[in-house]
Amino acid sequence: MRHVLSCEQFSREEIDGLFNLTDHIRQNEKAYSGAISDKVVATIFYEPSTRTRLSFEAAILRLGGKNISTENANEMSSAIKGESLTDTIRVMDGYADAIIMRHPDIDSAVRAAEVSRVPIINAGAGSGEHPTQALLDAYTIYKNKGKIDGISVAVMGDLLYGRTIHSLIKLLCLYKNITIFGLSNPALALSNDYLQYMAEKGVNYTIVNNLKDLPSDLDIIYQTRTQTERFLEKGLKAEEIVIDKAAMQHFGEDTLILHPLPRRHEIAPEVDSDPRAKYFEQSTNGMYMRMGLLYEILVNSKN
Ligand code: NCD
């Protein structure tokens, strides 16, 4: 594995290997505490982040690596002086052994990878993709369900601009007998590209308009935040479908709730104590999965 740009690049075998490696690191953390002690990893974020940047940085430090970071690269890097992303990357690849980046442009990670001599990890590219989030989402499903084949998933919230949704859909398409339901405000429905992608991969996608239209034995509810920062300027308004205690009564005890976070009001805090709520576990899983990914890229792969 060299760059991580899109979930389209993964094979089933690679993901199985990554999850096994993640479990092994988790169970033997001490043995890995110096695994990348000779590596410097850069985190460059042109958009806000809490979990993604800090879990990557924690992962780097827990593997004994060193981190250089710009958390507000739009203002705090030479971007504000007019430097292009590709020039910045060409400089950074002389300082770091891998570059983890988040940027508002959909094609930013691909453009960076075209000029970079070191691996680029896409940590969120505009409203395009967020592949490492999907890996940790799938890892959380696998840890809780013991499998991913055959599951049913409802993707909810902002299906149009939500990059975590886009990457998760592509990742789920690698598995067998997947059923996906889409529940969103019609203004934020999934675009045709993704509908076509699922159709080509044989994944069954059904649009529903109400939580009560979802099967009560659904495996996963994947709720997301409305990406207001991406569509306010277009004058769109979208009512959110809220998951609260009453809504959860419709589902059985095996229906798990995931959310990439941050949440606003789309999951009521009263749901947090429900044993089916897995979103905080999901963010912890993210750090371990990112340790696995960094180990895979910096130690296992011949770059
Ligand atoms: C998401 C993102 O940045 O796309 N957050 C994350 O990485 N966990 C989701 C969001 O911002 O709504």
Side-chain angles (χ1 to χ4, degrees):
M1 206 182 293
R2 185 168 147 75
H3 305 297
V4 176
L5 305 176
S6 158
C7 280
E8 284 185 45
Q9 76 186 66
F10 299 126
S11 69
R12 180 76 193 257
E13 292 66 38
E14 268 176 323
I15 292 176
D16 290 348
L18 176 65
F19 291 175
N20 288 336
L21 176 60
T22 300
D23 283 341
H24 195 262
I25 292 175
R26 217 168 173 165
Q27 285 147 16
N28 305 276
E29 219 187 307
K30 275 213 173 97
Y32 287 88
S33 63
I36 59 167
S37 57
D38 58 340
K39 307 286 185 198
V40 174
V41 181
T43 40
I44 327 180
F45 280 61
Y46 293 80
E47 283 190 339
S49 170
T50 303
R51 275 147 291 270
T52 305
R53 186 174 63 83
L54 293 175
S55 66
F56 259 122
E57 292 181 2
I60 294 162
L61 297 174
R62 281 173 185 257
L63 291 173
K66 294 160 193 86
N67 174 229
I68 50 173
S69 180
T70 329
E71 65 169 302
N72 189 359
N74 254 344
E75 288 168 26
M76 300 305 286
S77 76
S78 286
I80 200 152
K81 301 181 189 170
E83 184 170 62
S84 70
L85 173 67
T86 44
D87 278 5
T88 303
I89 296 295
R90 289 171 91 152
V91 173
M92 298 294 295
D93 74 2
Y95 304 157
D97 298 291
I99 299 171
I100 299 161
M101 59 170 279
R102 170 172 287 188
H103 191 279
D105 293 349
I106 288 183
D107 63 350
S108 50
V110 172
R111 280 196 284 127
E114 277 166 9
V115 299
S116 179
R117 290 170 298 170
V118 301
I120 295 288
I121 301 177
N122 175 7
S127 57
E129 279 207 55
H130 190 351
T132 67
Q133 178 69 43
L135 289 172
L136 78 90
D137 298 338
Y139 178 67
T140 302
I141 297 171
Y142 155 75
K143 292 301 278 179
N144 280 282
K145 297 278 181 191
K147 60 164 189 150
I148 300 180
D149 285 324
I151 61 163
S152 54
V153 180
V155 289
M156 288 184 59
D158 191 340
L159 313 184
L160 183 61
Y161 296 108
R163 57 193 173 198
T164 68
I165 297 268
H166 299 160
S167 285
L168 182 61
I169 283 176
K170 286 184 177 173
L171 203 60
L172 287 173
C173 283
L174 286 175
Y175 293 85
K176 295 194 194 93
N177 299 323
I178 299 292
T179 308
I180 305 181
F181 297 91
L183 174 53
S184 71
N185 184 297
L188 299 176
L190 212 51
S191 71
N192 276 334
D193 294 355
Y194 287 93
L195 298 180
Q196 209 174 326
Y197 193 90
M198 286 185 286
E200 276 165 19
K201 306 283 177 187
V203 168
N204 186 4
Y205 184 72
T206 310
I207 296 171
V208 297
N209 297 314
N210 199 297
L211 271 171
K212 292 224 160 67
D213 298 333
L214 291 168
S216 55
D217 63 349
L218 185 75
D219 289 305
I220 305 289
I221 299 172
Y222 190 89
Q223 173 70 304
T224 59
R225 174 181 73 88
T226 304
Q227 310 281 297
T228 34
E229 69 274 30
R230 304 210 191 278
F231 70 77
L232 272 183
E233 72 272 18
K234 295 185 185 161
L236 283 173
K237 281 204 181 82
E239 294 297 319
E240 279 152 352
I241 295 155
V242 173
I243 298 177
D244 55 15
K245 244 184 178 165
M248 284 312 294
Q249 279 174 7
H250 171 70
F251 298 101
E253 58 180 358
D254 296 328
T255 304
L256 308 181
I257 317 163
L258 269 61
H259 190 306
L261 302 178
R263 79 161 145 197
R264 284 183 308 210
H265 33 258
E266 65 276 6
I267 299 180
E270 64 185 19
V271 177
D272 297 358
S273 56
D274 188 315
R276 296 170 292 182
K278 297 293 177 190
Y279 27 93
F280 291 113
E281 176 185 318
Q282 197 182 341
S283 55
T284 308
N285 285 341
M287 182 188 71
Y288 289 107
M289 190 288 300
R290 287 173 170 132
M291 288 173 79
L293 190 69
L294 287 169
Y295 190 90
E296 184 60 38
I297 291 171
L298 291 168
V299 182
N300 283 348
S301 301
K302 299 274 166 281
N303 293 313

